[in-house]
Amino acid sequence: MLNYKQLHHFWTVARAGGIVRGAERSGLAPQTLSGQIATLETDLGVSLFKRQGRGLVLTETGRMVLDYAEEIFRLGSELEAALQSRATGRAVPFRVGIADVVPKAIAWLLLAPSMDLPEPMRIVCREGKFDALLGELAIHKLDVVLADSPLPPNMDVRGFSHALGESTIGFYVTPTLAGTLQGAFPANLDGAPLLLPGVEASVRGPLLRWIEAAGMRPRIVGEFDDSALMRAFAEAGAGIFPSASMVGEQLCRQAGMVHLGNADGVTETYYAISVERRLTHPAVRAISEAATAKQKFV
C-alpha cells in the first residue's frame, strides 16, 4: 500500500530542488525528510534521487513518480476545494482558457454542457494565445484549454489532448457582397475579397491548399488572429468569411450572412487540453462526455 505521507515528502523535496529547501518549506528536519524518502524508495524498490555533485537530482523513475505525485496532490486540492464549496453552497470555479483562434460561438457550444450540472458552477474564461494559455495550464491556473489543435509535441508542458469534435468549413458573406460575385461556388471566389484566419490557426493551411487546388485566386484583404474580429469585418461586408459549418445556421439567422458553399475535405477539430489523462473535474467531464455523444458536429 502506497504511503501517501511519504509520497508527499518526496513531492515537496522534488519541487523544492533538494532536502534542505524541502525541509524549509515543510518545517521538518532534513534528517526526517531524508529518512522518509529512503523508506519510500525501499518500499517501492526503486531509486528516486541520485547524487550529482553536492546535490540531488531525480532519476528517470523519480521523474515518472513526480508526474504522478503532481496529479495526485492536485486532485487532492481540487477535492478539498469542491467539498468546501459544497459545504458553503458556493459555486465551484471552472477556469477555462480559450485560444483566440476558436470562434466565440463554438466555445459556447463546447462549454454549454458545463452550465447544466447539478452542482453550482462558476465559469471563468480567459482568452489568449495558445502557448500562453498552456503555460497557465501547466501551473494549474487553468483547468482546461480549448483549442483548434492538440498539444504540440515540442511543448515543454505535460498535458493530454481530448478531441471534442470536428466541423466542416463553409464560406459566408453578406447579401450585398454576395450580389457582386460572379458565377457559382467555388468559381465565385476567384478575384473576390477573402478574409483569412491568422498563421496560428490550424485550419489556415488546409484552407489555402483547398483554394489553390480549386484553381481560385481570391484577393486576401485581411488576416486575423482573433476570430471574433474576423467575423466583425465579415459582417461589415469587408470580405468572404470562412467559418465552421457548425455555427453556419447561426451566422445566417442572426448575422444575416449568406452561405456560399463548403471547402470539401477541410475540417477543423476542437480539443480540450488538460494536465490529466483521466478527466476528473466535473465540468471538464461534462463537455467531454457531451462531445463524445455527438461524435462529430457537422
Side-chain angles (χ1 to χ4, degrees), residues 103-113 115:
K104 308 302 179 289
I106 291 177
W108 159 246
L109 289 176
L110 296 176
L111 294 172
M115 307 298 290

Side-chain angles (χ1 to χ4, degrees), residues 94-293:
F94 177 36
R95 302 160 300 176
V96 185
I98 303 173
D100 53 12
V101 295
V102 176
K104 308 302 179 289
I106 291 177
W108 159 246
L109 289 176
L110 296 176
L111 294 172
S114 69
M115 307 298 290
D116 297 327
L117 294 172
E119 59 264 43
M121 193 71 57
R122 176 170 56 87
I123 188 168
V124 180
C125 291
R126 298 280 185 264
E127 187 183 20
K129 295 297 182 184
F130 188 31
D131 291 356
L133 294 175
L134 290 178
E136 292 193 42
L137 179 70
I139 58 176
H140 308 299
K141 286 188 175 182
L142 296 173
D143 297 307
V144 69
V145 170
L146 298 185
D148 65 341
S149 61
L151 183 69
N154 60 338
M155 287 291 294
D156 189 21
V157 174
R158 180 179 179 272
F160 301 92
S161 303
H162 312 273
L164 297 179
E166 65 180 29
S167 175
T168 55
I169 300 298
F171 292 89
Y172 301 85
V173 66
T174 61
T176 301
L177 184 54
T180 67
L181 303 178
Q182 302 296 317
F185 181 84
N188 55 10
L189 295 179
D190 199 34
L194 179 67
L195 308 175
L196 278 180
V199 294
E200 293 185 2
S202 63
V203 76
R204 177 189 170 98
L207 199 56
L208 287 174
R209 289 191 290 272
W210 180 87
I211 292 172
E212 183 179 2
M216 299 299 107
R217 291 188 177 181
R219 293 183 294 110
I220 299 175
V221 296
E223 301 181 34
F224 303 85
D225 291 334
D226 188 299
S227 59
L229 184 59
M230 180 167 63
R231 174 173 170 172
F233 269 69
E235 291 179 0
I240 298 170
F241 169 52
S243 175
S245 301
M246 63 185 290
V247 294
E249 182 180 345
Q250 177 185 340
L251 285 171
C252 295
R253 184 180 68 255
Q254 297 181 359
M257 306 289 278
V258 175
H259 177 227
L260 296 179
N262 292 337
D264 292 336
V266 179
T267 61
E268 188 167 31
T269 304
Y270 305 100
Y271 297 86
I273 301 174
S274 70
V275 295
E276 53 189 6
R277 181 184 288 106
R278 179 176 176 273
L279 299 176
T280 57
H281 193 291
V284 182
R285 281 206 315 271
I287 63 175
S288 178
E289 290 168 1
T292 300

Side-chain angles (χ1 to χ4, degrees), residues 38-53:
T39 302
L40 179 63
E41 289 179 319
T42 300
D43 291 345
L44 297 178
V46 297
S47 294
L48 300 174
F49 292 101
K50 62 182 178 181
R51 287 283 177 188
Q52 187 174 83

